[in-house]
Every structure is written in C-alpha cells, then in structure tokens.
Amino acid sequence: MPALLLRPWQQRALIALSAHPHPDFLAVATPGAGKTTFALAALAAELSDRPGPAVVVAPTAHLKVQWAGAAARLGLHLDPEWVPGTAFGADMHGIVTTYQQVASAAADLATRVADGVVVLDEIHHAGDERAWGDGTALAFAGARRRISLSGTPFRSDTQAIPFVRYEMDEAVPDVEYGYDTALADGVVRPVYFPRVDGDMEWVAPDGSHHQATFADQLDRTLTAQRLRTALSVEGDWLPTVLTRANQALMRVRRTHPSAGGLAITMDTEHARGVARLLRERCGVDAVVATSEDPAASAKIAAFAESSRPWIVAVRMVSEGVDIPRLRVGVYATTTATELFFRQAVGRLVRVTTDTRGQRSVMFLPDDPRLRAHALGIAEARRHLLKRREEDAEEGDGVEDPLAAMLADDAEQMSLFQAVASTATTDTAEPEWFDTNPFPQADVEGVPLELLPPPTMSGAVPPDPVDGAGRPARHVTKAQMRQRNADLARVLARRANLDHRAVNAELNKKAGIRRIADATVEDLERRLRVGERWLAGL
C-alpha cells in the first residue's frame, strides 16, 4: 500500500496507542483535526499485526457511509449495510454500525466481536440514552482493543460512559489535541463569531407577555423562550441574519468559488422554513437534509462534492460530517450545550490546501450561553494571532475576502422579532475586521507505511482500493445486491412465482444461505444463475 501522510499529532497518538497497556484508549481531538484518519490507521495497524473482526460505531446512519468510504481509501473494507443477526461478510474486514443499532443487537455483536478491534466515534453518544450505553458495554466487553474518539472533552453528567476513565466526573483522554494547538499547527481554520443582538417580544405558555434583548438578564425558562423567538421564521431577526450570512458567502465565493454555507436549525419544519427564507430573501435554492428524509445521506454527499451555496440541516451535518468547503454558518438552533456548539462550529474549520489561512464565520444569536461558548474558541484564536503578528510582515499574504467584507461594515445588527419590529444596530468588536489573512504555520506530514490489512480469515484482500476510481467493496456489494433484487422481481413475474420462492431457489443454486451474508463473488455467481434461469423462460 502507498504511504499515508500523517499529521504530527496523529503520529504521536499512534505511538501512544501502541505503548498503551490497557484495552481502552480515548483520543480527544478538535473537530477537523483528523480523528478519522488516526483511527483508521490504528485499525489497519491492529489488524495487520493480529487479524480479527473490526467494528466502527458512528452516531448517525450518514456517518456510517462516510466512515466506510474513508476506510476503503486505506484498503479497509467495512460494511455499512450490516443487518443484525447476520454474519460479517467473509470478504469484509468488518462493519460500520450506529449506537442505536448496537443497543438493539448487543448480544449478537458480543459473539462476533470477541477478540476484535472496535472504534467508538464520538463516544459521548453512548450516554445519550441508557440503553445505548448498556448496549455498548455488553457488545464490546470482549474486544481486545477499544479506541474511543471525541471532538471535545466531556463529562458524565447523568451516567458514566463505558470504556472511559474519569477523574472528578471528567473524562480523561489518553491523547488530547485542542483547537488552540490545531490552529497553531495550521490544521484548522480560525472561526469568527458575529453575534447578533435583537429585541424580542413573545407570549409565554402561561399567557404572560415579555419583551427583552439578549443583553437582558432572564431566568432559564425565559432565556430559552427569548432564543426561540429570535429564531422564528415569522419574525425579522432570522431573515435579516440569513441575508447577512449569504452576503458574506457570496463575498467569499469571489476567491473560493465552491465555498458553502450551513444553517443549523431546530427541527424539520424549521429547516424547511429557513430554506424558504433563503429562497425568498436571497434567491438561493438550498439543500435541506433532515433525518426524516431517506435520501438525506445522498443529499449531503452530493452537496459535499458540488458547488451549491447552502445546505440547511438539523443535526445531520452538525457532527462528524466532512464538508471542507463550508466557510459560513448560521447557528439557528435552540440547542445551547457547549458540546453541541463546538461540534457545530467544527463543520467550518476544515482546511483545504487552496484556502489555508482564510477565515470562516459563524453567525450567532447573542444569547449569553452561546456567547460564552464562542469566547473560549475566540480567545485561542486571539492569543495565536497576537503571537504570530509579532513575527509577520504587515500586509503579507493574500487578502481574505471575508475579512475585507467585515472591515467594510463595522457594525453589529440588532433586530426585532415581533410583527412590528424595527432593525437597529450596535457597534461590533473591531478585531473581526482585520483585512490580512490569518497567519498559518507550514503543515508538516509524517509518512506511515501501512501493510495491507488481512481479512478475518487472514488472507490479503484481492482488490484493495487503489485510489484510481475503483469502487469500494461495500459500494460494489450494494450495487450487486440491487441487481440481484431487480432480477428476482423479473423472474417472479415471468415464472409466476412469489418472491420468496424465487430467492430461495437462487440462493440454493448459487450455494449461499442469504443475501446479507454473501460476498461479492457469491453475489456475482447468484446473478449468473438468475440470468441463466431467465434465459430459459
């Protein structure tokens, strides 16, 4: 296999993992730093040294596909279509599943993953529901190595997450790579936070009438109601912020033509409303991706490869999804936890070779909770900028159009939500308006020679992906399964048999038990059997 170029922190993490005496290893690295690459390199090394089943657990169905695609590029074949109750494919190294699936198939997985290797992506999700944590603990207790990943440090606020070591309720990572260090290393982009104030007016569920700006101190309940009011698609706050964000994106696209924007919304109905506002106010046809849409994963993948300007999502793009061209965001959700906020901001930090040193921007309601979260990220950026400016030549580098746009308008918007609302303005923080590109360090790489990982049987895969456009094995299997299903429907109609009888006959003649267990070779043989049968009718 060709050498894999690792970032220095990934190399250090691999060394720490190889020397780690315990089965459990937690790596906490800021979003965009390359946790996936580290984990897959570790997985390949583990399987090369000692064959066994491999499992990656991801938070969402879309991330299963993303993990499988990334693994295939390293010659690892992971099936994202695994069905509980079926064996792992004999021509696959293992599977990618979700925490929800693990909870429903824990006992089954426990028998299949004994002495295997498990990657637990965004492990804090094992604490989302008690069943998820219990299922994860049961399913992978027998694994010889458990590599847990998280984009930000987390706490055991309700229950301890399995396979994680705690001190004073705080998870203790074995390797940690924070945003400040990643920014200094040139691994991530600097993110700026235009905070938008407003004057909101609403009627609470108890019938009481309220009016407040984000500067007013309110109790917890009223604070949440104020934020929800600002984010209403019926008011004036959100449409104006979307317009401002779209102007920022259009400015960025002058020099970064494929740059994209992301609006993170409250729920499916709100997402559709935000898309409508982008269409009506900005003339933009946005992609909408929600978990209720069965085509959502395909839409996200298509958007990532396109140059379309905006994608609107609820949670599907807020964590883990890799779309490096995102440069502008609108935080239009009432979820105000630091963990979710940092994951959402992480969608904007990924660096591409042609845009290194240029900024991203996330437009925020000036909610005090979000303001506090943004401050921690902004302080890391300001500290590094001050240090870099001491050595940088004034005016050096290519102008960042986003910074230039912000310099043109040094005022922060303050908007009204109510029907009779009127827009006002406040003075913005001057540090947003530096017209020079953010200074970046040169990124160094550490080459790592990866041996071809063996399959579960110990044999070297006959067709590792070579980067020349050959489909990943899980993609080929999905295509072959679909062709078999289409042929079975034709045979059932032509032979006047029900589908169950046709499939049973095809499996019998092809020598397989069921489609879910079949290898690519099995599926090709079954297809030939069906084609001969059809030709004889």
Side-chain angles (χ1 to χ4, degrees):
M1 289 183 64
L4 174 66
L5 194 64
L6 292 179
R7 291 166 175 164
W9 85 264
Q10 295 167 331
Q11 176 72 5
R12 292 193 298 269
L14 282 177
I15 293 172
L17 176 64
S18 65
H20 195 64
H22 304 294
D24 299 312
F25 187 89
L26 173 61
V28 174
T30 191
K35 292 187 297 296
T36 300
T37 299
F38 155 69
L40 290 173
L43 188 59
E46 287 278 349
L47 296 183
S48 297
D49 181 61
R50 182 177 165 189
V55 175
V56 173
V57 186
T60 67
H62 174 74
L63 288 178
K64 289 198 303 180
V65 178
Q66 186 169 292
W67 268 97
R73 290 191 286 274
L74 296 185
L76 282 168
H77 297 285
L78 304 177
D79 187 0
E81 303 296 331
W82 176 75
V83 177
T86 63
F88 296 174
D91 58 347
M92 306 295 285
H93 295 101
I95 66 167
V96 191
T97 186
T98 64
Y99 289 100
Q100 184 176 21
Q101 287 179 309
V102 169
S104 64
D108 181 23
L109 281 168
T111 64
R112 304 184 190 282
V113 189
D115 202 38
V117 183
V118 179
V119 173
L120 301 163
D121 186 25
E122 303 298 353
I123 182 63
H124 53 267
H125 282 284
D128 285 356
E129 298 184 21
R130 186 176 185 85
W132 292 14
D134 292 345
T136 300
L138 173 61
F140 306 123
R144 73 171 189 262
R145 176 72 84 181
R146 295 175 289 262
I147 303 169
S148 298
L149 309 175
S150 182
T152 186
F154 56 90
R155 298 177 58 86
S156 59
D157 293 327
T158 54
Q159 60 177 346
I161 293 170
F163 314 129
V164 171
R165 183 166 54 93
Y166 290 92
E167 289 182 4
M168 301 296 293
D169 292 334
E170 186 85 18
V172 180
D174 298 290
V175 166
E176 188 168 8
Y177 189 64
Y179 175 75
D180 52 348
T181 308
L183 189 60
D185 290 346
V187 169
V188 295
R189 288 190 186 119
V191 182
Y192 287 71
F193 300 100
R195 301 192 312 272
V196 185
D197 200 359
D199 192 343
M200 279 62 69
E201 186 175 353
W202 70 97
V203 177
D206 62 3
S208 58
H209 183 273
H210 301 274
Q211 183 174 0
T213 70
F214 283 119
D216 295 323
Q217 292 187 357
L218 303 176
D219 63 26
R220 182 175 181 178
T221 300
L222 292 178
T223 295
Q225 293 173 357
R226 175 180 58 190
L227 179 57
R228 182 173 290 274
T229 301
L231 298 178
S232 170
V233 296
E234 303 302 326
D236 192 45
W237 189 96
L238 186 56
T240 307
V241 172
L242 289 170
T243 300
R244 178 69 168 141
N246 187 64
Q247 291 170 348
L249 180 60
M250 293 304 106
R251 188 75 174 258
V252 171
R253 284 167 72 96
R254 294 178 187 176
T255 56
H256 183 187
S258 65
L262 165 66
I264 300 176
T265 59
M266 294 186 288
D267 52 38
T268 298
E269 182 180 358
H270 191 235
R272 292 170 181 156
V274 168
R276 175 179 57 80
L277 290 175
L278 283 169
R279 183 172 59 252
E280 294 175 353
R281 298 296 185 99
C282 307
V284 172
D285 184 19
V287 175
V288 179
T290 66
S291 58
E292 297 176 6
D293 182 359
S297 289
K299 288 181 178 180
I300 294 171
F303 177 83
E305 297 299 323
S306 75
S307 60
R308 294 186 65 175
W310 280 95
I311 185 167
V312 181
V314 182
R315 286 181 175 266
M316 290 196 70
V317 185
S318 64
E319 183 174 60
V321 174
D322 188 13
I323 309 177
R325 67 187 188 90
L326 290 175
R327 295 283 302 279
V328 176
V330 176
Y331 197 89
T333 176
T334 52
T335 303
T337 65
E338 183 177 10
L339 184 61
F340 184 88
F341 180 83
R342 284 183 172 268
Q343 290 288 355
V345 173
R347 299 319 98 209
L348 305 180
V349 304
R350 280 162 167 74
V351 171
T352 55
T353 54
D354 56 339
T355 60
R356 289 185 63 246
Q358 296 196 352
R359 299 160 172 80
S360 291
V361 60
M362 176 73 86
F363 286 82
L364 301 177
D366 199 15
D367 180 276
R369 298 164 298 177
L370 302 180
R371 187 188 314 144
H373 301 334
L375 180 62
I377 298 174
E379 282 301 320
R381 184 197 68 228
R382 292 169 187 161
H383 175 73
L384 178 64
L385 182 59
K386 181 178 180 180
R387 193 172 75 226
R388 289 277 174 80
E389 283 179 339
E390 293 176 354
D391 301 323
E393 295 182 2
E394 185 175 357
D396 186 31
V398 180
E399 181 182 359
D400 183 346
L402 183 58
M405 179 210 68
L406 293 172
D408 289 343
D409 181 9
E411 292 186 332
Q412 180 178 349
M413 296 170 291
S414 175
L415 309 170
F416 286 88
Q417 187 276 334
V419 175
S421 63
T422 304
T424 62
T425 58
D426 293 327
T427 302
E429 298 178 39
E431 63 100 1
W432 293 348
F433 312 125
D434 178 14
T435 57
N436 295 318
F438 194 91
Q440 292 279 295
D442 292 332
V443 179
E444 300 177 350
V446 180
L448 174 69
E449 293 288 344
L450 286 177
L451 297 175
T455 61
M456 291 168 60
S457 62
V460 174
D463 60 341
V465 171
D466 55 13
R470 185 169 10 187
R473 194 174 301 165
H474 72 275
V475 175
T476 301
K477 291 183 81 167
Q479 294 170 343
M480 294 297 296
R481 287 167 179 161
Q482 186 60 52
R483 288 179 61 188
N484 270 273
D486 294 342
L487 181 57
R489 281 193 290 271
V490 174
L491 283 169
R493 186 170 62 252
R494 293 278 191 90
N496 197 27
L497 297 170
D498 63 44
H499 283 80
R500 179 175 297 182
V502 168
N503 282 314
E505 184 66 15
L506 287 172
N507 288 349
K508 179 180 178 181
K509 290 185 175 181
I512 63 176
R513 289 184 56 207
R514 49 189 173 184
I515 287 286
D517 298 338
T519 65
V520 171
E521 183 179 355
D522 294 335
L523 293 170
E524 290 174 340
R525 184 170 63 253
R526 188 180 190 272
L527 198 59
R528 291 194 296 270
V529 168
E531 289 169 344
R532 288 196 296 269
W533 185 1
L534 182 62
L537 293 177

